[in-house]
Amino acid sequence: MRTIVVSRAGLDVSVTGGVEAALPARVELSAYRIVQEALTNVLKHSGPRTHTEVRLSCDSGSLTIEVLDDGLGTAVHSVSADGQGGGLSATASRS
């Protein structure tokens, strides 16, 4: 279902790598939300028809998520006082 929704939104998404062992439910939910937020940002800032790759790897008890796209992006018009956007803190507040 998620693949269909992403395709309908116009994103070309591929997933590479993976996780062999089961993850704790909280980690799995956090990973899902991080990828969801990243794909939303790709669509918002790079637009439809952008190829996006989600790379997953698990090593020594650490989960690594990389989301890469070939979009042009857009200029950042405003940032917080510390020079960083709110994406990660906004994602953390929803977890």
Side-chain angles (χ1 to χ4, degrees):
M1 182 68 168
R2 287 183 290 262
T3 302
I4 294 170
V5 172
V6 171
S7 296
R8 286 185 187 162
L11 288 179
D12 173 24
V13 179
S14 62
V15 179
T16 60
V19 178
E20 293 180 22
L23 297 171
R26 185 174 176 99
V27 173
E28 187 174 316
L29 178 61
S30 294
Y32 175 83
R33 288 195 174 158
I34 289 167
V35 171
Q36 181 181 39
E37 181 72 17
L39 294 176
T40 298
N41 286 340
V42 169
L43 187 59
K44 181 177 176 183
H45 298 292
S46 296
R49 294 177 298 283
T50 299
H51 175 72
T52 307
E53 181 179 358
V54 177
R55 296 179 185 170
L56 303 172
S57 63
C58 196
D59 186 33
S60 301
S62 295
L63 174 64
T64 301
I65 302 169
E66 295 178 279
V67 180
L68 305 116
D69 69 77
D70 64 0
L72 299 175
T74 59
V76 175
H77 297 291
S78 66
V79 293
S80 62
D82 63 2
Q84 301 202 3
L88 292 178
S89 61
T91 300
S93 70
R94 290 191 295 262
S95 297

